[in-house]
Amino acid sequence: MEQQPSAVPEKAQQEGEIRARWAWVEPEVWTERMLATLETGIEGGKWFRLIDKVWSTRNLARALQKVIAKGGSAGIDNQSAQAVKEHQEQTIQKLEQELRAGQYRPKAVKRVWIPKPGSQEKRPLGVPTIKDRSVQGAVLQVIEPIFERDFAVQSYGFRPGKGCKDALRRVDELLRSGQHWVVDADLKSYFDTIPHAGLMERVGEKIADGKVLNLIEGMLRAGVMDSVKGWQATEQGSPQGAVISPLLSNIYLNGLDRKMARNGFEMVRYADDFVVLCPSQEEAQKALEQIKQWVDENGLKLHPTKTRVVDANQRGGFDFLGYHFERGRKWPREKSLDKLKDAIRRKTRRSSGRSMKAVCADLNPTLKGWYEYFQHSAPHVFTGIDGYVRGRLRSILRRQSKRKGRARGIDQHRWPNTYFSAVGLFSLEQARTAACRSS
């Protein structure tokens, strides 16, 4: 008699389903039992004993592995990811001992200034040490699921399973449904101005472990080390570049998400960049007034010139996540095009001396990556960029053939478009045509 397979217990099925729903969480921290509690809701709404999860060897090791894999610059201690990698076990052991004994103190964050895309301005970026990034990652792995459970659906930035493209699709859906009056909002220096007291109050709504709360507050108040101004205290803000900052920024703005949803407004938010889409100008003005009220009450500021109400069906439109939306179409905003052209110029200098195949091979990853994000743009965009790229390449070929100056009309006959296809140049226009045929 053929043996029948034993039935899978219902409890095991439920546990498997729960783990599947939370596949992104760290199994070193979140057991099936904890996940079940997370889904049903913990008694009292607050989580108490969590610090032991933070300092567990496996959690710290996993957090350190992620930091090393990502690489990045060294902090104020000048220790690179590679240097720490060579002494991983000792680093983990020391961090665990310091956390257990309450002796861990995060170092100041190194402040560096990086250019804003398409602008002469620069914005500050905080670079914690590799060790501090690891501890932040360990805290993140413990507390992120607790807050992720209750985040609003219209928040797309720095969240598991969500991203820019999801936010853009939602904007497209709302515009097609007739909600073309848009509150285009801009929070002024958001990451640098988050009030610590208000932020910690929101974290404390779900976390009751005092040691974890003190650890997070210590990270916020570690100060910054500026190459010019030296050490400066951080009385507010959560530095961009810190591992835990994206989560903390979402925690603080979740109240705004909830308020907009509760009052019937369609908001789409990616970190501190958000728009509200409405069916009428009157509704958009109401939404803006409520945003202003919430922002004022919570110690933030709206940018006075960048925050406005616009009709997306009229000339002018609005920008969001790199795209420009206007009159039922979208294309890359001007700064996105400028950033791409800057990258192309760096890779197509006429004095490089490389073969055309080598230049194209170097260009292609940039062009493919850009197309992957902006492939839903109006068709004229791809024609223009392809022409710009080929013009740069023809100038290289003129230089190599001892001709002076930039590419001219006759050069299109010397080196036609088919020549660049033959040497392997990626064409945005051809990629779009192929995508349209397949769809």
Side-chain angles (χ1 to χ4, degrees):
M1 183 175 180
E2 186 177 352
Q3 185 176 2
Q4 296 294 321
S6 58
V8 179
E10 184 178 352
K11 182 179 179 181
Q13 289 181 347
Q14 291 174 347
E15 288 180 351
E17 291 169 359
I18 292 174
R19 176 62 69 185
R21 286 193 292 271
W22 295 89
W24 57 273
V25 305
E26 288 298 332
E28 289 84 354
V29 177
W30 285 88
T31 63
E32 269 83 0
R33 183 178 178 182
M34 289 176 66
L35 289 174
T37 303
L38 182 66
E39 288 203 347
T40 57
I42 195 167
E43 185 177 354
K46 291 189 177 186
W47 292 75
F48 284 82
R49 183 70 176 172
L50 293 174
I51 190 64
D52 57 318
K53 309 292 189 302
V54 173
W55 68 43
S56 78
T57 303
R58 290 168 61 182
N59 185 37
L60 286 169
R62 181 65 180 133
L64 179 58
Q65 287 170 5
K66 288 183 179 180
V67 171
I68 291 173
K70 194 171 183 180
S73 303
I76 63 170
D77 62 355
N78 293 321
Q79 277 200 309
S80 66
Q82 185 59 38
V84 174
K85 182 180 180 180
E86 294 174 1
H87 305 91
Q88 285 186 67
E89 292 186 9
Q90 297 95 314
T91 299
I92 294 165
Q93 185 179 13
K94 185 176 180 181
L95 287 174
E96 182 181 351
Q97 290 172 350
E98 290 178 350
L99 287 165
R100 283 180 177 272
Q103 297 173 345
Y104 168 77
R105 299 291 183 272
K107 295 185 183 296
V109 173
K110 183 170 72 174
R111 175 177 286 165
V112 296
W113 295 87
I114 60 175
K116 284 187 176 181
S119 171
Q120 297 298 318
E121 299 179 21
K122 292 187 176 183
R123 64 180 179 89
L125 181 70
V127 184
T129 67
I130 300 295
K131 294 178 182 178
D132 289 340
R133 274 180 256 175
S134 301
V135 175
Q136 289 183 20
V139 174
L140 181 71
Q141 289 169 178
V142 173
I143 72 170
E144 185 176 21
I146 295 170
F147 292 94
E148 177 64 30
R149 173 185 183 271
D150 296 321
F151 279 154
V153 294
Q154 67 265 36
S155 168
Y156 293 89
F158 308 112
R159 294 187 60 193
K162 291 191 173 190
C164 289
K165 291 185 178 181
D166 301 298
L168 291 167
R169 274 192 286 269
R170 182 58 180 158
V171 170
D172 277 333
E173 290 172 1
L174 292 169
L175 289 172
R176 285 196 297 268
S177 71
Q179 308 208 49
H180 56 88
W181 282 96
V182 181
V183 180
D184 184 9
D186 186 277
L187 289 170
K188 189 175 181 180
S189 302
Y190 170 62
F191 279 87
D192 297 326
T193 59
I194 303 173
H196 286 175
L199 175 57
M200 291 308 301
E201 182 180 343
R202 285 160 175 76
V203 175
E205 289 173 359
K206 295 184 181 295
I207 305 295
D209 188 323
K211 291 184 178 180
V212 173
L213 294 175
N214 290 338
L215 191 55
I216 295 172
E217 190 166 14
M219 294 170 181
L220 292 172
R221 296 187 176 277
V224 297
M225 184 66 73
D226 191 284
S227 58
V228 177
K229 299 179 181 179
W231 184 88
Q232 294 175 291
T234 45
E235 301 298 332
Q236 59 183 9
S238 183
Q240 293 189 64
V243 175
I244 202 169
S245 285
L247 174 64
L248 297 179
S249 70
N250 277 334
I251 290 172
Y252 200 73
L253 287 180
N254 190 49
L256 177 60
D257 296 339
R258 293 296 181 186
K259 178 174 183 174
M260 290 288 102
R262 191 166 55 247
N263 294 336
F265 293 110
E266 293 285 359
M267 183 168 81
V268 181
R269 182 174 69 81
Y270 190 94
D272 59 333
D273 195 0
F274 62 92
V275 290
V276 182
L277 294 96
C278 305
S280 68
Q281 185 176 11
E282 182 183 12
E283 285 292 301
Q285 290 291 351
K286 287 181 182 178
L288 179 56
E289 289 305 313
Q290 293 192 22
I291 292 169
K292 286 180 177 177
Q293 180 185 6
W294 189 92
V295 166
D296 289 342
E297 290 174 352
N298 288 273
L300 302 174
K301 290 183 180 179
L302 287 171
H303 199 290
T305 58
K306 295 181 180 179
T307 300
R308 60 202 179 110
V309 171
V310 299
D311 182 357
N313 282 349
Q314 301 299 318
R315 183 180 293 275
F318 67 98
D319 294 340
F320 186 60
L321 298 182
Y323 273 93
H324 179 78
F325 294 81
E326 183 179 324
R327 293 175 289 181
R329 305 171 78 197
K330 66 176 181 286
W331 55 84
R333 68 173 184 161
E334 188 175 343
K335 287 184 178 179
S336 299
L337 286 171
D338 289 344
K339 186 177 179 181
L340 173 64
K341 288 182 178 179
D342 285 344
I344 292 170
R345 280 192 290 270
R346 287 194 298 270
K347 294 187 175 187
T348 56
R349 292 189 173 93
R350 281 179 283 176
S351 59
S352 69
R354 295 180 296 170
S355 70
M356 190 49 54
K357 281 189 176 182
V359 174
C360 291
D362 188 25
L363 264 177
N364 283 346
T366 298
L367 297 174
K368 289 177 180 178
W370 194 90
Y371 173 79
E372 175 63 27
Y373 188 77
F374 290 104
Q375 61 182 294
H376 301 293
S377 299
H380 72 273
V381 172
F382 307 118
T383 305
I385 294 172
D386 279 348
Y388 177 78
V389 171
R390 288 191 293 262
R392 297 282 303 179
L393 296 179
R394 289 186 179 107
S395 293
I396 294 175
L397 291 168
R398 280 185 64 85
R399 177 72 172 265
Q400 291 177 350
S401 60
K402 309 300 182 184
R403 293 178 172 87
K404 295 181 180 180
R406 297 181 179 178
R408 301 170 184 173
I410 194 171
D411 292 324
Q412 295 185 18
H413 298 286
R414 287 194 182 103
W415 300 288
N417 295 353
T418 52
Y419 167 82
F420 297 105
S421 297
V423 293
L425 177 66
F426 177 80
S427 166
L428 281 74
E429 187 176 15
Q430 290 177 8
R432 183 185 182 278
T433 301
C436 291
R437 284 174 181 167
S438 63
S439 63

